[in-house]
């Protein structure tokens, strides 16, 4: 391995001291970590802690803004079974304690209607039935947490995947998997059109769109569809399809969009007369199209009206103003590009005239919501390493970044505007997972919950420092260093490489790739937002196009040098690089193009051969945009940055991890890289999860993932587990 001296650092980092403190939990499992870890009155955070940490769900506020309900998911430390508990919290009494709410069975996706009933989904058995169909329920919730009158609202053949209440609570929209030819919310033949028999073979037609998507095989003829029902005495009745009848020119496509769309893609009009929703047509062009449009259905059985037909790129998240005058939504400009800037657009509902409201603001918004008085739009967007909230004037388009937290905003999400210029939201950071906060009069917020922070305080603190340096093209590039706060002695370096590639390892909590749990094992975790990252303006994000192994690798090289130059505690002679998805691609690229730098590598779901990847992945718009066309038309663009072409240079020990249900980067990419390692005689291991997709989500699998990674790092960077 090539020796590395701090004197070789190309640039001096400009440091901005930052945050931290707190994480961890359940007693028990102790992960291995390098020798020399400082002893402390608090044990370092472990993988067991990360897996079993209570997780806060999105809050729901009462119509008058006086109370909020929220859910907390707990994981058993032995069985890893997860259970969810619900709580009611006063928003007017800062000293109030949360009150436990017993909804009498399973309950998720809680929300209040304007009728003050609490609505939720449940798969509890009904009567003597032992099936677990998912339906909407509702209950009356008192201020003391007492529940009365819990009753089933829906009784449909298909499972309800989600719902949206009309503003006047007279109607409810349901979505779930329903056959396109089915006039009701579920028919007997749903999900079997692709099973012609007599064998078990699935038959697909190229005109039907996706064959498989994310982690599931498609079921042609069945789609995620939205139906509207009347609410009569708490019971859903009727049922009108928002997509219209096929015989009348109705829309065929998924609403919400798959695989990650939800209720944010469906909205009732202010007068409760109809529905706005987002959908992408399902046809032969679907795997290569990002053309999601917004539709309006007056719920009269007719085909919905396409409101954004002129834009061939993405339009999403319809948000009507409470006064019924405006429809705000997010829109991209360039077809085929899933990471284009999302600009807030405003449509005059009466005239149909539309304008780009934030076209001059060079950030991409991820959420938006109106204040109850229709005076402001509150939206979130990545900005450098934070995800703050912004206040937008719908008249002038002026954008103001709100200062809601002391110190860094970190990651603000689940924003609910309340009356009186108040905001309910969650905030998380590298230091700790989401907690619930309330801001009044646009001022800095006060915490409302302590879901995990006290538990985290029982573990050794970490410190995260932000730094920047001159990267490729002398442009400013940002990064972060996370390490134990009171560690004595040097720390091996971990170069953490984010996926996307249009993404960021921003100042946020993750239940999967978590800098704090890794740093707690006695490593300095260095992340770099290389060219292509989000939160720095659209030109910076676009700069990775057709340059996957160019500027990003240069940024990572210079970023690692800058981090080592800025912090003498980090031992650059002991270093490992690790990443997933594009980060896994970069690990494969580093193996062939920076082969002597690292002691070890960890590659998770990484792209290995760009040719075989192109012909096996499902969302073709992604490689076509990033590489300037299909592999057939521009093979040279793919081969220029193809890791397989540099396998002869591979020499660094690598741990390869993959999931068999990953259809985005099929597991065969991992098998190919493992075979290459074997042929080169490079020390390597392969970890395969048969029941995981592009992510590792199940608690026991997550623990195994971490234990395997920690053992691998320790075997190459440490001298054996430290004594407790």
């Amino acid at each position: 391995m090539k020796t590395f001296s701090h004197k070789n650092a190309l640039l001096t980092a400009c440091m901005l001291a930052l945050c931290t403190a707190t994480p961890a939990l359940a007693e028990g499992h102790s992960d291995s970590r390098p020798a020399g870890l400082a002893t402390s009155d608090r044990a370092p955070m472990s993988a067991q802690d990360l897996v079993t940490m209570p997780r806060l769900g999105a809050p729901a506020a009462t119509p008058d803004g006086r109370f909020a309900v929220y859910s907390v998911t707990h994981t058993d430390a032995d069985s890893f079974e997860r259970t969810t508990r619900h709580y009611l919290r006063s928003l007017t009494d800062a000293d109030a304690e949360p009150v436990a709410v017993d909804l009498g069975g399973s309950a998720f996706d809680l929300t209040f209607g304007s009728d003050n009933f609490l609505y939720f989904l449940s798969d509890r058995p009904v009567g003597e039935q032992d099936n677990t169909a998912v339906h909407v329920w509702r209950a009356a919730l008192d201020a003391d947490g007492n529940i009365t009158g819990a009753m089933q609202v829906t009784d449909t053949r298909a499972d309800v995947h989600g719902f949206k209440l009309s503003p006047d609570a007279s109607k409810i929209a349901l979505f779930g998997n329903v056959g396109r030819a089915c006039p009701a919310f579920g028919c007997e033949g749903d999900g079997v059109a692709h099973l012609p028999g007599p064998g078990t073979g699935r038959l697909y037609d190229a005109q039907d769109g996706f064959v498989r998507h994310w982690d599931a095989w498609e079921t042609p003829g069945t789609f995620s569809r939205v139906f509207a029902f009347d609410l009569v005495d708490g019971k859903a009745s009727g049922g009108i399809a928002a997509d219209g009848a096929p015989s009348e020119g109705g829309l065929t496509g998924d609403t919400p969009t798959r695989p990650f769309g939800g209720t944010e893609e469906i909205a009732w009009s202010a007068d409760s007369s109809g529905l706005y929703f987002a959908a992408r047509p399902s046809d032969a062009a679907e795997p290569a199209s990002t053309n999601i449009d917004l539709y309006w259905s007056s719920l009269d059985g007719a085909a919905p009206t396409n409101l954004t037909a002129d834009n061939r790129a993405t339009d999403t998240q319809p948000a009507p103003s409470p006064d019924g005058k405006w429809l705000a939504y997010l829109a991209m400009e360039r077809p085929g590009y899933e990471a284009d800037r999302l600009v807030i657009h405003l449509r005059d509902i009466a005239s149909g005239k539309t304008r780009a409201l934030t076209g001059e603001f060079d950030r991409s918004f991820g959420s938006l919501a109106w204040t109850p008085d229709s005076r402001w739009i509150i939206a979130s967007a990545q900005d450098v390493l934070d995800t703050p909230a912004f206040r937008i004037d719908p008249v002038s388009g002026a954008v103001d970044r709100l200062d809601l937290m002391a110190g860094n905003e970190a990651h603000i999400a689940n924003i609910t505007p309340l009356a009186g210029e108040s905001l309910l939201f969650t905030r998380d950071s590298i230091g700790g997972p989401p907690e619930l906060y309330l801001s009044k009069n646009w001022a800095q917020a006060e915490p409302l919950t302590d879901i995990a922070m006290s538990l985290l305080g029982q573990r050794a603190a970490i410190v995260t420092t932000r730094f920047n340096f001159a990267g490729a093209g002398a442009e400013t590039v940002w990064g972060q260093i996370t390490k134990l706060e009171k560690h004595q002695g040097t720390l091996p370096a971990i170069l953490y490489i984010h996926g996307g590639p249009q993404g960021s390892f921003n100042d946020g909590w993750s239940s999967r790739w978590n800098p704090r749990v890794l740093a707690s094992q006695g490593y300095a975790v260095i992340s770099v937002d290389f060219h292509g990252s989000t939160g720095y303006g659209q030109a910076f994000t676009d700069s990775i196009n057709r340059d996957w192994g160019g500027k990003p690798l240069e940024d990572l090289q210079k970023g690692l040098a800058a981090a080592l130059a800025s912090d003498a505690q980090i031992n650059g002679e002991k270093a490992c690089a690790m990443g997933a998805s594009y980060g896994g691609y970069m690990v494969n690229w580093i193996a062939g193009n920076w082969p002597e730098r690292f002691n070890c590598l960890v590659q998770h779901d990484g792209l290995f051969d760009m040719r075989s990847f192109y012909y096996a992945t499902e969302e073709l718009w992604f490689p076509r945009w990033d590489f300037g066309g299909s592999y057939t038309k521009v093979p040279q663009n793919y081969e220029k940055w193809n890791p397989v072409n540099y396998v002869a240079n591979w020499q660094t020990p690598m741990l390869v991890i993959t999931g068999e249900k990953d259809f985005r980067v099929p597991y065969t990419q991992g098998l190919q890289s493992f075979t290459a390692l074997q042929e080169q005689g490079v020390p390597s291991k392969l970890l395969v999860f048969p029941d995981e997709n592009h992510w590792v989500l199940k608690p026991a699998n997550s623990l195994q993932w971490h234990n395997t990674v920690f053992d691998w790092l320790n075997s190459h960077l440490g001298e054996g587990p430290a004594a407790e």
Side-chain angles (χ1 to χ4, degrees):
M1 149 165 186
K2 183 187 297 182
T3 59
F4 188 86
S5 168
H6 289 179
K7 294 179 181 179
N8 291 334
L10 300 177
L11 300 150
T12 301
C14 174
M15 309 302 295
L16 296 178
L18 205 246
C19 75
T20 76
T22 71
L25 274 196
E27 299 290 340
H29 180 81
S30 176
D31 295 301
S32 62
R33 53 191 183 276
L37 200 65
T39 57
S40 170
D41 57 347
R42 291 177 291 171
M45 182 183 178
S46 70
Q48 177 87 353
D49 292 334
L50 179 66
V51 170
T52 59
M53 186 172 299
R55 300 183 182 185
L56 174 68
T62 55
D64 60 11
R66 295 176 56 214
F67 296 91
V69 293
Y70 60 88
S71 303
V72 181
T73 299
H74 299 264
T75 303
D76 185 84
D78 296 318
S79 68
F80 299 109
E81 292 185 2
R82 285 177 171 159
T83 57
T84 301
R85 303 168 190 167
H86 313 286
Y87 300 89
L88 179 70
R89 175 66 160 83
S90 171
L91 299 181
T92 58
D93 182 356
D95 298 322
E97 292 294 326
V99 178
V101 175
D102 184 0
L103 290 170
S106 73
F108 46 100
D109 290 1
L110 281 61
T111 190
F112 284 98
S114 60
D115 56 3
N116 290 309
F117 281 100
L118 179 65
Y119 291 79
F120 54 92
L121 292 178
S122 178
D123 60 357
R124 68 189 68 184
V126 179
E128 297 180 356
Q129 301 176 17
D130 58 1
N131 66 318
T132 54
V134 179
H135 292 295
V136 179
W137 288 64
R138 81 171 190 181
L141 176 60
D142 298 331
D144 61 2
N146 185 50
I147 287 288
T148 57
M151 62 179 289
Q152 184 179 341
V153 175
T154 62
D155 186 13
T156 55
R157 179 185 291 271
D159 283 348
V160 179
H161 290 179
F163 66 95
K164 203 70 172 280
L165 291 161
S166 66
D168 64 4
S170 67
K171 301 180 180 70
I172 187 171
L174 311 178
F175 65 86
N177 293 337
V178 178
R180 186 61 188 91
C182 184
F185 195 79
C187 287
E188 186 173 351
D190 291 350
V192 298
H194 62 306
L195 303 174
T200 60
R202 296 187 295 259
L203 180 64
Y204 294 91
D205 190 306
Q207 299 304 309
D208 291 333
F210 283 111
V211 171
R212 60 182 190 174
H213 202 181
W214 187 246
D215 61 2
W217 288 89
E218 288 292 320
T219 55
T222 299
F223 301 89
S224 180
R225 299 178 61 200
V226 179
F227 286 71
F229 293 77
D230 292 325
L231 284 175
V232 181
D233 296 327
K235 293 288 187 178
S237 64
I240 298 176
D243 51 9
S247 60
E248 300 298 326
L251 169 72
T252 297
D254 290 311
T255 305
T257 57
R258 291 176 172 172
F260 303 121
T263 54
E264 75 284 353
E265 294 185 342
I266 301 170
W268 283 93
S269 61
D271 63 2
S272 302
S273 67
L275 284 172
Y276 298 98
F277 61 91
R280 177 175 51 228
S282 293
D283 53 28
E286 185 181 17
S289 171
T290 61
N291 185 24
I292 299 171
D293 281 314
L294 295 184
Y295 294 82
W296 161 254
S297 173
S298 56
L299 303 176
D300 58 2
T305 301
N306 189 339
L307 302 178
T308 58
D310 291 340
N311 182 26
R312 306 299 294 173
T314 293
D315 302 282
T316 188
Q317 295 195 34
S321 61
D323 63 10
K325 295 180 179 180
W326 307 99
L327 175 68
Y329 62 95
L330 300 176
M332 295 182 182
E333 181 179 3
R334 290 172 285 182
Y337 187 18
E338 66 179 3
D340 200 11
R341 181 166 58 117
L342 282 164
V343 174
I344 299 176
H345 283 60
L346 201 63
R347 179 186 179 93
D348 185 313
I349 292 177
S351 68
K353 293 182 179 180
T354 303
R355 61 190 172 103
L357 189 62
T358 60
E360 301 303 315
F361 184 70
D362 195 14
R363 290 294 183 268
S364 184
F365 289 99
S367 70
L368 72 165
W370 288 89
T371 56
D373 59 5
S374 301
R375 175 66 184 87
W376 306 99
I377 296 172
I378 307 300
S380 63
Q382 288 184 350
D383 188 21
V384 187
L385 295 167
D386 294 314
T387 306
F390 296 85
R391 182 181 61 197
I392 297 100
D393 186 338
V395 177
S396 67
V399 180
D400 294 321
R401 174 171 168 159
L402 297 174
D403 182 13
L404 300 178
M405 301 296 303
N408 295 305
E409 302 296 292
H411 180 237
I412 288 176
N414 299 305
I415 303 171
T416 302
L418 305 174
E421 300 181 341
S422 293
L423 296 175
L424 183 69
F425 61 90
T426 61
R427 186 257 190 183
D428 60 277
S429 68
I430 289 176
E435 298 286 356
L436 190 60
Y437 289 82
L438 179 65
S439 164
K440 296 181 178 180
N441 300 314
W442 312 123
Q444 290 191 353
E446 297 293 332
L448 298 179
T449 61
D450 182 2
I451 306 302
M453 293 307 290
S454 291
L455 293 169
L456 297 176
Q458 299 170 16
R459 294 295 185 264
I462 55 96
V463 60
T464 293
T465 305
R466 297 180 178 184
F467 68 99
N468 63 47
F469 59 94
E475 291 189 277
T476 299
V477 176
W478 284 86
Q480 299 178 107
I481 301 170
T482 300
K483 63 182 184 179
L484 281 167
E485 188 176 47
K486 295 183 178 180
H487 181 87
Q488 301 297 317
T490 61
L491 294 164
I494 304 295
L495 183 61
Y496 232 31
I497 309 171
H498 72 67
Q502 296 89 356
S504 170
F505 264 139
N506 58 5
D507 190 356
W509 186 260
S510 173
S511 60
R512 294 178 294 114
W513 284 70
N514 186 294
R516 176 158 192 166
V517 73
L518 183 56
S520 292
Q521 312 313 306
Y523 302 107
V525 182
I526 302 163
S527 61
V528 174
D529 272 1
F530 46 80
H531 277 77
S533 298
T534 52
Y536 305 91
Q538 193 59 41
F540 192 85
T541 301
D542 293 347
S543 65
I544 197 173
N545 188 264
R546 309 182 202 186
D547 193 29
W548 268 35
K551 290 187 291 294
L553 178 60
E554 183 179 347
D555 288 343
L556 290 169
Q557 292 171 328
K558 291 180 175 179
L560 178 58
L564 295 176
S566 70
D567 191 336
Q569 190 177 32
I570 306 175
N571 181 3
E573 302 292 340
K574 292 185 176 182
C576 181
M578 57 189 294
S581 195
Y582 172 84
Y585 160 88
M586 180 52 70
V587 168
N588 286 333
W589 187 251
I590 284 172
N593 292 274
W594 199 12
E596 299 177 348
R597 179 61 190 87
F598 295 99
N599 300 78
C600 63
L601 301 169
V602 178
Q603 183 259 101
H604 182 149
D605 288 340
L607 294 77
F608 169 76
D609 178 8
M610 303 307 293
R611 180 182 184 182
S612 61
F613 162 77
Y614 178 83
Y615 287 113
T617 193
E618 12 83 285
E619 292 182 351
L620 289 175
W621 65 72
F622 169 67
R624 288 184 184 181
W625 180 273
D626 273 32
F627 291 91
S630 68
Y631 185 90
T632 304
K633 292 182 178 180
V634 287
Q636 67 277 11
N637 291 0
Y638 291 81
E639 294 302 335
K640 181 178 181 180
W641 307 115
N642 197 348
V644 73
N645 294 333
Y646 298 89
V647 164
N649 299 335
W650 283 25
Q651 63 185 51
T652 310
M654 184 188 296
L655 169 64
V656 179
I657 307 173
T658 188
E660 287 187 25
K661 296 177 68 177
D662 185 358
F663 299 155
R664 183 63 44 84
V665 181
Y667 72 89
T668 50
Q669 293 287 301
L671 295 183
Q672 291 174 55
S673 61
F674 187 64
T675 298
L677 290 160
Q678 299 303 296
E679 290 194 339
Q680 289 296 110
V682 179
S684 51
K685 290 187 177 182
L686 173 68
L687 176 62
V688 180
F689 289 102
D691 53 349
E692 297 287 1
N693 55 35
H694 201 54
W695 302 330
V696 175
L697 300 176
K698 297 182 179 181
N701 288 346
S702 177
L703 185 59
Q704 183 181 5
W705 186 98
H706 282 88
N707 289 343
T708 303
V709 170
F710 293 165
D711 287 343
W712 179 258
L713 297 178
N714 186 70
S715 67
H716 293 280
L717 300 180
E719 299 174 2
E724 291 292 335

